[in-house]
Amino acid sequence: MVESESREAIIPRVLVTKIGLDGHDRGSRIVAAWLRDSGMEVIYTAPWQKIDTVVKLTQEEDVDVLAVSSLATDHLLIPKLMAALREAGYQHVKVVVGGIVPDADEAILLDSGVSRVFHTGSTKEEVVQRISEFAEEARKAPAVVTFD
Amino acid sequence: MAVKKNRPKPWLKRLLNGDRTVLSRAISVLENETNEASAIIRGIYPHLGNAMVVGFTGSPGVGKSTLVNSYIKLLCEKGLQVGVIAVDPSSPLSGGAILGDRIRMAAQEHLRNLFIRSLASRCHVGGLSRATSRVVDVMDAAGMDVIIIETVGAGQSEVEIAEIASTKVVVCAPGMGDDIQAIKAGILEIADILVVNKCDLPLTNHTNRQLKAMLVLREALPDWTTPVLNTSAIDGTGVSELSDAIDEYKGVLAQRNSDGKDKGKKRMLRLLANSVADKVKKDLLETTSLEMDSICDAVLKGELMFNEATNRVIDKLLSHQ
Ligand SMILES: Nc1nc2c(ncn2[C@@H]2O[C@H](COP(=O)(O)OP(=O)(O)OP(=O)(O)O)[C@@H](O)[C@H]2O)c(=O)[nH]1
Ligand SMILES: [Mg+2]
């Protein structure tokens, strides 16, 4: 191939989604637009996704970062999501959570493998910068498949 | 111990068995043309040509994704393996994209025999059809019976993508007068099947008649008359008729070219021609050659006709090799 690029140089792909019962998707819409405006490719879903579906979406879209918005108590489902991702072999995908997460719960999320919690009031610069770093890290992880 | 030479590689074995993780990563490699791309292309080449490839194209918001959703429901219920490639435009400013087509396909997301992949059009002119064509191939190798490509029918590059599909469905909505003019200019010509979606809305029959009238202007084929079907993607009206028309057209295609490999070559020739044209254009626009300068000058002053100038530039390019 003439036009070969290293995997790290590729445009980051991010899945922006919501799990659980809360349907307020303003926050996730704003974040999706921020990421697009900084040159990333965003796969955007409706709220109310099931954990299995999020795993399937992660697999099919080969995303680097999973951004889950939570404004109610749906973030308590995230440890389950983390376990499901690991079970499916997607431990290299970085997961970030944004929205309203009490401090005590933040520790639980980080313990379960979440890379970062963005609280309300996080700036665009901060969110974009961290997510693009996480995408780069995800790309550097050992490949899930090698083609020879 | 000597390894048997033609034993399939582990990734290829998994891909041919429909392994989703391998398929998904292979798509990324092909889309980005990273180092491993040629290994994949070589590996899958002997395993191509089984899938039926259907393109859905049409103006923004006419209901392509919703219609694809109803169609895949029907296909999946028949037990077929279905792959969807949903192409959305990239922002020309940032290069980023929001890929939202699959929101409309959410009702089918749980199905094991469905694989959806969103692609951003990115800014590579002409390259999008090459990338899409490779994604089609790798889905084909992974055992998809039907592969659906959704693109916004807005310009030349979309028409090219549509060309990858052997069956091209052009979707319109009722009462889009100006819009139909736009379709007439571009994608109407490539339609094998025309659909007036949102037939639950007024003006459907009016639009249907308008489209039929335009088709009359098109050169008639001996073996196929492009049907104009009414559908309502939200309640499923007309979707099984659409599915039947797609199957019927598949039969016509099979009659036309009994040799499938030849079609692959034709598609490759088209991709190559586009790629060469893009490269030559890019080089020419960046050239600082005095000879090009004087050719432009001569055409401007009317000393040289445009066609002659074109030929002269081509001669010049060839003589430099
Ligand atoms: N009334 C009616 N609305 C429909 C129908 N099909 C789709 N829609 C609506 O039309 C809007 C656009 O539908 P999409 O399926 O996203 O259209 P699209 O052509 O894929 O749009 P882009 O991918 O953005 O170009 C949505 O609000 C749908 O609910 C239909 O048959 N009838
Ligand atoms: Mg769409």
Side-chain angles (χ1 to χ4, degrees):
Chain A
M1 291 277 118
V2 189
E3 301 143 85
S4 52
E5 275 182 83
S6 71
R7 256 183 70 71
E8 287 91 77
I10 295 168
I11 300 176
R13 281 172 77 84
V14 184
L15 176 64
V16 175
T17 191
K18 275 177 76 67
I19 52 179
L21 298 172
D22 170 47
H24 296 90
D25 58 357
R26 233 181 89 81
S28 54
R29 277 169 196 265
I30 292 172
V31 169
W34 283 352
L35 299 177
R36 177 204 52 207
D37 293 342
S38 49
M40 300 186 212
E41 290 177 0
V42 181
I43 292 87
Y44 186 80
T45 77
W48 314 297
Q49 298 299 321
K50 293 204 178 77
I51 287 179
D52 287 354
T53 310
V54 175
V55 174
K56 191 174 182 266
L57 283 159
T58 304
Q59 178 181 55
E60 292 183 355
E61 298 289 356
D62 194 16
V63 291
D64 310 302
V65 179
L66 193 51
V68 188
S69 152
S70 174
L71 297 172
T73 53
D74 294 328
H75 61 270
L76 295 172
L77 290 168
I78 286 178
K80 266 197 189 144
L81 170 66
M82 299 306 292
L85 284 170
R86 266 195 301 277
E87 198 186 327
Y90 286 90
Q91 53 278 352
H92 68 279
V93 175
K94 300 282 173 194
V95 179
V96 299
V97 179
I100 301 167
V101 178
D103 288 348
D105 293 347
E106 175 167 357
I108 299 174
L109 295 193
L110 296 175
D111 263 358
S112 74
V114 167
S115 298
R116 171 81 185 225
V117 174
F118 295 107
H119 296 280
T120 43
S122 301
T123 63
K124 175 181 175 183
E125 285 67 34
E126 186 188 352
V127 171
V128 164
Q129 170 76 22
R130 301 314 314 231
I131 290 186
S132 100
E133 283 164 13
F134 288 137
E136 210 176 306
E137 269 177 56
R139 296 272 171 174
K140 282 187 185 139
V144 287
V145 204
T146 49
F147 302 94
D148 52 354
Chain B
M1 204 176 76
V3 178
K4 226 171 117 193
K5 202 165 174 253
N6 53 1
R7 182 199 286 169
K9 308 257 188 328
W11 68 263
L12 184 56
K13 228 169 153 179
R14 286 173 67 190
L15 180 76
L16 297 177
N17 282 328
D19 183 313
R20 303 311 209 217
T21 300
V22 178
L23 172 59
S24 176
R25 186 47 67 87
I27 292 174
S28 302
V29 170
L30 294 172
E31 187 191 9
N32 293 299
E33 301 192 319
T34 46
N35 299 323
E36 295 169 306
S38 66
I40 297 176
I41 296 168
R42 266 182 280 129
I44 63 176
Y45 181 71
H47 307 279
L48 302 182
N50 302 312
M52 169 168 95
V53 187
V54 186
F56 282 73
T57 191
S59 304
V62 293
K64 299 176 293 295
S65 301
T66 316
L67 189 58
V68 166
N69 174 63
S70 311
Y71 181 49
I72 54 186
K73 178 165 187 283
L74 203 141
L75 295 172
C76 287
E77 277 166 3
K78 288 183 190 160
L80 295 167
Q81 293 287 327
V82 180
V84 177
I85 305 170
V87 185
D88 265 329
S90 298
S91 150
L93 291 178
S94 71
I98 292 184
L99 309 170
D101 286 323
R102 69 186 299 162
I103 292 180
R104 309 269 179 227
M105 305 172 200
Q108 324 303 333
E109 286 286 14
H110 62 283
L111 294 172
R112 293 259 145 239
N113 48 342
L114 172 67
F115 183 103
I116 305 175
R117 179 62 172 250
S118 313
L119 289 188
S121 66
R122 301 203 173 160
C123 300
H124 40 200
V125 187
L128 179 59
S129 46
R130 184 172 65 220
T132 311
S133 155
R134 286 179 178 153
V135 177
V136 165
D137 284 348
V138 74
M139 282 190 171
D140 182 3
M144 298 301 163
D145 299 301
V146 183
I147 298 167
I148 295 163
I149 310 172
E150 177 190 335
T151 52
V152 174
Q156 188 55 36
S157 72
E158 284 79 10
V159 173
E160 281 166 23
I161 301 157
E163 292 286 345
I164 298 165
S166 45
T167 303
K168 294 167 284 291
V169 178
V170 173
V171 186
C172 313
M176 304 177 84
D178 290 344
D179 209 70
I180 285 173
Q181 292 304 314
I183 289 170
K184 186 173 151 191
I187 52 181
L188 187 65
E189 276 92 277
I190 63 161
D192 303 310
I193 295 165
L194 268 167
V195 170
V196 183
N197 186 44
K198 308 196 186 186
C199 72
D200 49 290
L201 298 181
L203 294 176
T204 300
N205 291 331
H206 172 72
T207 302
N208 188 306
R209 277 193 303 274
Q210 256 185 321
L211 288 170
K212 279 193 180 125
M214 281 174 203
L215 283 174
V216 174
L217 303 173
R218 219 172 68 167
E219 197 183 335
L221 297 169
D223 55 355
W224 182 251
T225 310
T226 298
V228 186
L229 308 172
N230 294 341
T231 63
S232 172
I234 42 169
D235 67 17
T237 306
V239 176
S240 75
E241 287 79 356
L242 170 62
S243 172
D244 290 346
I246 292 171
D247 288 343
E248 202 184 319
Y249 188 65
K250 183 187 172 190
V252 171
L253 284 174
Q255 288 286 323
R256 271 188 214 163
N257 36 358
S258 32
D259 185 12
K261 274 276 182 295
D262 211 47
K263 214 183 83 224
K265 260 188 209 156
K266 263 188 208 148
R267 190 175 85 191
M268 186 47 67
L269 180 62
R270 208 156 39 215
L271 289 172
L272 258 177
N274 286 336
S275 167
V276 170
D278 287 344
K279 174 111 184 36
V280 169
K281 182 173 170 189
K282 186 163 175 281
D283 288 355
L284 276 179
L285 290 174
E286 286 167 2
T287 187
T288 49
S289 126
L290 289 177
E291 199 183 340
M292 279 303 297
D293 198 65
S294 69
I295 292 176
C296 289
D297 206 44
V299 179
L300 274 173
K301 289 180 184 152
E303 292 161 5
L304 191 62
M305 293 311 288
F306 198 88
N307 281 348
E308 286 174 77
T310 307
N311 289 333
R312 199 172 292 181
V313 173
I314 291 170
D315 287 346
K316 178 175 126 66
L317 288 171
L318 292 176
S319 69
H320 273 246
Q321 303 311 311

